[in-house]
Amino acid sequence: MKNQKMYEPDDRMISIIRDNYNILQSLGCFGISLGFGDKTVKEVCEEQNVDTYTFLAVVNFTINGYRNFDDADRMSVPTLMQYLRASHDYYLDFQLPFIRKELVEALDEKDNLARLILKLYDEYAHTIRSHMKYEEKMVFPYVDALLNNKNTGNYDIETFSKHHPQIDQKVRELKSIIIKYLPSDGLRNNQLSATLYDIYNNEEWLSQHSMVEEEIFIPAIRRLEQRLRQSDVSVKISHMINKNSDNNESLSEREKDVVISMVQGMTNKEIADHLCISINTVITHRRNIARKLQIHSPAGLTIYAIVNNLVDISLVKL
C-alpha cells in the first residue's frame, strides 16, 4: 500500500526513509550519502549538490505515483542524468549479477529444468543490459550535447520515447516457472523463496525506473529541446538582421518611431497624424528604412522590431 504522503523540502530526510525504506537505493543514485542526522530534505540536498525540486519529484513519484509537477521548468536535467546513470550502474553491475548468484545457489545445476531457468534469466538480463546500454550510447550523449548547446544531428527524445518498451515479459515468465515447477524443501527451498522475493523487488524497481524515464525524464528533455530550438531561432534571426544591417546606416530615432507604428498596424495617414508629420515624410522614412535594413515585408519589420527591443512581442498581433 502506498504511503500517500507528498514530501516537501522542509520534511526531515530521515522521515522519508522511515516511511519508505525502499528509497534507500534512490538516495545512492542521487549521490546522497547517509549520516545526515535530522536535517531537512532541502538542507541535505543543498549540502550534497542535488537539486531539491528534482529529488522530491522523483521521490514523490516513485512512492505515490505523484505526477503534478507544478513547475516543470525547474526540473534539473543534470540531476536527472546523474540519477539515471547511477541507477544503470546499480542495476547492471550489482543487481543482475547478484540475482544470478542467488539463483545458482538455490538451484540444482544438474537438473535440466534448473539450467533452463538460468538460461531464461540470462536472456532477461541480456535484454535489460542491451536496453540500458542503448540509452548510455545514444540517449545520454544526446542529452549531454543539448546541455552544452551542441549540434545533435537528427536524433531527438521522441525517437527514444517511441522505442522505450516495458521490459517485463521474460521476468514474469521466470517467476511463474519458479513458482509452478520448482518445488523443493529444506535449505534450498528457503534460498529459492528468498531469491524469488528479490526478483519481485527488482521487478518493481525496474518498473519504477522506467516510469521515471517516461513521466519525468522524457518530458524534461522535450522542454529542453524546445527551449534550445527557440533560442536557436532567435539567434539566427538576430544574426540575419545584424548581417543585413552591418553595412548599412543605422535607423534614426524618427525612423524607429515609424517602424514601431508600422508594426502596430497603422496606415501612412495614421502614422503621420501620430507623429505630427506629413504623409510624404512618412513615405520617405519608409523608403529609407527599407533601404537601410533591406527588409520590405511587414513580417520582416515585425521580427526586426522584436529582436531589437523596439516592441514587446506580447503586444504584437501575430
Side-chain angles (χ1 to χ4, degrees), residues 72-73 75-81 84 138-147 152 155-161 212-229:
D73 286 334
M75 205 73 70
S76 166
V77 173
T79 296
L80 286 175
M81 290 291 287
L84 294 176
M138 297 297 297
V139 184
F140 293 173
Y142 167 71
V143 175
D144 288 338
L146 288 180
L147 290 171
T152 55
Y155 193 81
D156 59 26
I157 202 63
E158 206 60 39
T159 302
F160 169 61
S161 179
V212 166
E213 290 184 326
E214 288 285 349
E215 300 290 338
I216 298 179
F217 176 67
I218 291 175
I221 304 310
R222 285 196 185 109
R223 288 189 293 275
L224 178 59
E225 288 174 335
Q226 184 179 21
R227 288 196 298 270
L228 290 177
R229 281 196 294 266

Side-chain angles (χ1 to χ4, degrees), residues 28-299:
C29 290
F30 277 109
I32 294 177
S33 301
L34 301 179
F36 37 69
D38 289 322
K39 293 176 182 175
T40 65
V41 171
K42 182 178 180 181
E43 289 171 336
V44 173
C45 286
E46 288 180 348
E47 286 182 1
Q48 304 201 30
N49 299 314
V50 176
D51 181 72
T52 305
Y53 184 86
T54 306
F55 171 77
L56 284 173
V58 173
V59 165
N60 284 318
F61 176 71
T62 55
I63 292 174
N64 296 315
Y66 184 80
R67 290 175 168 82
N68 186 20
F69 314 122
D70 55 358
D71 191 355
D73 286 334
R74 288 175 59 193
M75 205 73 70
S76 166
V77 173
T79 296
L80 286 175
M81 290 291 287
Q82 175 184 337
Y83 171 79
L84 294 176
R85 280 190 164 111
S87 295
H88 282 199
D89 290 343
Y90 165 75
Y91 204 81
L92 296 179
D93 298 339
F94 176 73
Q95 277 305 109
L96 286 178
F98 177 77
I99 297 259
R100 193 183 195 285
K101 183 174 181 291
E102 284 189 307
L103 276 174
V104 169
E105 292 175 352
L107 297 173
D108 180 2
E109 290 189 86
K110 296 178 181 178
D111 182 85
N112 288 335
L113 185 55
R115 287 200 296 269
L116 288 173
I117 286 176
L118 281 175
K119 181 180 179 182
L120 181 60
Y121 178 80
D122 288 341
E123 290 174 356
Y124 161 72
H126 176 75
T127 302
I128 298 295
R129 191 174 298 278
S130 297
H131 175 77
M132 289 187 172
K133 289 300 181 183
Y134 167 80
E135 293 181 8
E136 293 172 4
K137 180 180 179 181
M138 297 297 297
V139 184
F140 293 173
Y142 167 71
V143 175
D144 288 338
L146 288 180
L147 290 171
N148 288 298
N149 295 312
K150 292 181 180 178
N151 189 340
T152 55
N154 296 323
Y155 193 81
D156 59 26
I157 202 63
E158 206 60 39
T159 302
F160 169 61
S161 179
K162 291 176 181 177
H163 299 88
H164 187 243
Q166 293 285 340
I167 310 172
D168 54 9
Q169 181 178 350
K170 283 188 172 66
V171 75
R172 283 200 304 267
E173 184 178 345
L174 176 67
K175 292 184 306 182
S176 177
I177 288 176
I178 291 175
I179 293 169
K180 290 181 179 180
Y181 304 119
L182 279 182
S184 57
D185 50 43
L187 178 60
R188 193 174 294 278
N189 185 64
N190 291 336
Q191 288 176 321
L192 199 55
S193 295
T195 302
L196 191 59
Y197 181 80
D198 285 341
I199 291 173
Y200 270 99
N201 279 340
N202 280 277
E203 180 187 22
E204 181 179 358
W205 181 92
L206 191 62
S207 176
Q208 288 178 344
H209 173 81
S210 181
M211 290 299 291
V212 166
E213 290 184 326
E214 288 285 349
E215 300 290 338
I216 298 179
F217 176 67
I218 291 175
I221 304 310
R222 285 196 185 109
R223 288 189 293 275
L224 178 59
E225 288 174 335
Q226 184 179 21
R227 288 196 298 270
L228 290 177
R229 281 196 294 266
Q230 291 172 342
S231 175
D232 187 51
V233 168
S234 297
V235 169
K236 287 180 179 178
I237 290 173
S238 180
H239 177 72
M240 175 189 71
I241 291 173
N242 290 334
K243 183 177 179 181
N244 286 335
S245 59
D246 277 346
N247 297 323
N248 294 304
E249 306 166 52
S250 60
L251 297 186
S252 68
E253 292 303 313
R254 178 59 80 190
E255 287 167 344
K256 291 179 182 178
D257 291 337
V258 172
V259 169
I260 294 170
S261 300
M262 293 169 63
V263 169
Q264 292 173 341
M266 294 185 188
T267 64
N268 285 346
K269 185 178 185 309
E270 289 171 334
I271 295 173
D273 293 342
H274 175 64
L275 299 178
C276 299
I277 56 179
S278 70
I279 293 178
N280 285 337
T281 302
V282 172
I283 293 172
T284 299
H285 282 318
R286 292 188 63 161
R287 286 174 180 164
N288 289 337
I289 290 167
R291 175 180 58 79
K292 290 180 179 181
L293 301 182
Q294 293 299 300
I295 298 174
H296 304 276
S297 68

